[in-house]
Amino acid sequence: MAAMGPAQIEGELYFLIARFLQYGPCKKSAQVLVEELEEHQLIPKRLDWEGKEHKRSFEDLVAANAHIPPDYLLRICERIGPLLDKEIPQSVPGVQILLGVGRQSLLRT
């Protein structure tokens, strides 16, 4: 299996952000984001059985990933901290925030 490049990861992240926004209080923001994703062709392309890439709409991507719930990005964020703490402990145990600095950062700088 080939490693995902930055464009693939970014496209999937945009997808997860849009899905998160669609089911929260920021539905208008989600709509604008989806429009921009389609306008700038940032939606991950699909590959056919011959390996050829094809554009798809946001709704096509949602349908192809029906197993991904709207809160998937939130779940990822909730899991990252505890997993990282096993490898590199934070400076203040038990404090789980996304916007930390230094040893409280998820990037652990």
Side-chain angles (χ1 to χ4, degrees), residues 10-56:
E10 287 176 12
E12 290 182 6
L13 181 57
Y14 286 132
F15 169 73
L16 293 174
I17 292 168
R19 291 286 289 152
F20 178 75
L21 291 172
Q22 283 181 325
Y23 289 91
C26 300
K27 291 175 182 17
K28 289 179 189 174
S29 296
Q31 182 180 354
V32 170
L33 177 57
V34 169
E35 289 170 6
E36 287 192 298
L37 292 176
E38 290 181 343
E39 177 185 338
H40 298 292
Q41 299 180 16
L42 297 172
I43 295 171
K45 294 175 174 58
R46 73 169 180 85
L47 292 175
D48 66 19
W49 64 278
E50 293 179 326
K52 294 180 184 173
E53 291 185 338
H54 302 274
K55 288 188 224 177
R56 59 180 160 189

Side-chain angles (χ1 to χ4, degrees), residues 40-107:
H40 298 292
Q41 299 180 16
L42 297 172
I43 295 171
K45 294 175 174 58
R46 73 169 180 85
L47 292 175
D48 66 19
W49 64 278
E50 293 179 326
K52 294 180 184 173
E53 291 185 338
H54 302 274
K55 288 188 224 177
R56 59 180 160 189
S57 70
F58 183 80
E59 290 307 317
D60 290 341
L61 187 58
V62 171
N65 291 282
H67 62 284
I68 303 292
D71 68 343
Y72 195 77
L73 181 58
L74 178 62
R75 290 182 188 182
I76 290 171
C77 291
E78 290 171 341
R79 287 186 162 187
I80 287 175
L83 289 173
L84 184 57
D85 287 346
K86 291 179 182 176
E87 192 68 28
I88 306 169
Q90 55 189 339
S91 59
V92 181
V95 176
Q96 297 293 328
I97 58 173
L98 296 177
L99 306 177
V101 166
R103 297 279 303 213
Q104 288 303 117
S105 168
L106 291 177
L107 299 178

